[in-house]
DNA sequence: GGCCCGATCGTCT
DNA sequence: GACGATCGGGCCA
């Protein structure tokens, strides 16, 4: 660790399991301001502050992959222990990363939709195919872009966020006045659950999508 | 096996 | 606002 890294959020201890075992809406809100860290192949790490999330609360939530109790090889991680990553592939070209919440057999999770780069910005740019001109807030804006910038793909599905090369650590705390909520994005098929205000984001952060 | 569609993104009008 | 890219998952036969 360099002297400059001492005390930096990406060097703090990962959030404990108990953080994720709480109600999913509580976890979603609490993740805002926390720091997602992915250690890369060469031992360096990329890190970013989470500024946008969405809660998915199956089996009742018709927008969740676990709606109506659906349980397949793809979403099996949602039924497991809290604090693990659920990573899936969609639209033939994008990955999305979630954190599993609550007790085993309760298939709920929080989708991480956007982050502000804190470390490894050059690596993120290279992965996104963006040059030095591109503003930093664009690097991890949107769930697909975030996964690409962080180098997260299905090989990280099931990763333990409390003790692996993919972790989430405490960061800054947003005050209530700095947080907004809204309906979730891209779930028009979810009937009565379309309008649930289960998307949370930091107001005035340009890295927020939508 | 076949068919439909997606927790997205960038581009074009 | 509309649309194409691109392919695995889910469901039915």
């Amino acid at each position: 660790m360099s002297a400059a890294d001492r005390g930096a959020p990406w060097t703090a201890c990962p959030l404990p399991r108990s953080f994720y075992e709480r109600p999913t809406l509580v976890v979603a809100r609490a993740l805002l301001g926390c720091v997602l860290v992915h250690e890369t192949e060469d031992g360096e790490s990329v890190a970013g502050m989470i500024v946008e999330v969405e809660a998915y609360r199956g089996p009742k939530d018709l927008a969740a992959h676990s709606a109506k109790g659906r349980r397949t090889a793809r979403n099996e991680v949602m039924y497991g222990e809290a604090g693990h990553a659920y990573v899936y592939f969609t639209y033939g070209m994008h990955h999305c990363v979630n954190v599993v919440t609550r007790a085993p057999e309760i298939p709920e999770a929080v989708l991480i939709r956007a982050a502000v780069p804190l470390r490894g910005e050059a690596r993120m740019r290279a992965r996104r195919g963006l040059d030095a001109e591109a503003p930093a807030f664009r690097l991890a804006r949107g769930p697909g872009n975030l996964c690409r910038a962080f180098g997260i793909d299905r090989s990280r599905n099931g990763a333990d966020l409390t003790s692996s090369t993919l972790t989430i650590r405490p960061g800054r705390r947003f005050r209530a006045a700095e947080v907004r909520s809204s309906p979730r994005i891209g779930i028009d098929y979810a009937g009565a659950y379309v309008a649930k205000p289960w998307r949370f984001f930091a107001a005035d952060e340009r890295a927020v999508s939508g």
Side-chain angles (χ1 to χ4, degrees):
Chain A
M1 184 192 310
S2 75
D5 285 355
R6 236 178 297 121
W10 57 85
T11 65
C13 291
L15 295 167
R17 184 93 48 214
S18 56
F19 177 94
Y20 302 101
E21 291 168 335
R22 296 178 293 167
T24 302
L25 293 181
V26 171
V27 176
R29 165 65 180 82
L31 280 169
L32 294 177
C34 294
V35 179
L36 178 67
V37 183
H38 194 199
E39 192 175 308
T40 54
E41 316 78 45
D42 53 13
E44 288 297 302
S45 59
V46 295
M49 180 179 70
I50 296 166
V51 293
E52 182 186 359
V53 297
E54 286 177 356
Y56 286 87
R57 309 172 71 193
K60 286 196 298 187
D61 179 4
L62 296 179
H65 289 171
S66 53
K68 302 181 206 165
R70 183 191 299 123
R71 183 170 188 166
T72 67
R74 179 173 73 145
N75 70 5
E76 181 62 27
V77 173
M78 289 185 77
Y79 288 81
E81 185 181 50
H84 291 258
Y86 167 44
V87 183
Y88 66 89
F89 182 68
T90 191
Y91 289 105
M93 61 192 91
H94 299 296
H95 295 275
C96 293
V97 61
N98 300 250
V99 306
V100 175
T101 60
R102 305 198 62 192
E105 303 303 318
I106 302 178
E108 303 194 4
V110 177
L111 172 68
I112 302 178
R113 291 191 56 91
V116 175
L118 296 178
R119 181 180 170 81
E121 190 179 304
R123 181 70 58 99
M124 293 186 188
R125 270 174 209 286
R127 287 180 174 141
R128 289 291 318 281
L130 297 172
D131 58 28
E133 315 290 301
F137 67 79
R138 256 203 245 188
L139 299 177
R141 182 174 63 178
N145 289 336
L146 180 146
C147 280
R148 181 167 291 263
F150 276 78
I152 296 170
D153 61 23
R154 272 173 300 180
S155 72
R156 308 318 318 274
N157 188 39
D160 187 347
L161 296 167
T162 71
S163 62
S164 74
T165 54
L166 181 63
T167 53
I168 300 177
R169 304 171 192 237
R172 65 165 283 199
R173 285 182 195 242
F174 285 108
R175 303 170 54 172
E178 299 174 293
V179 175
R180 303 273 186 277
S181 65
S182 81
R184 295 167 294 177
I185 293 174
I187 55 150
D188 295 341
Y189 53 83
Y193 286 80
V194 167
K196 300 285 185 188
W198 292 349
R199 169 176 178 251
F200 301 90
F201 58 97
D204 307 321
E205 279 289 350
R206 289 199 291 180
V208 172
S209 69

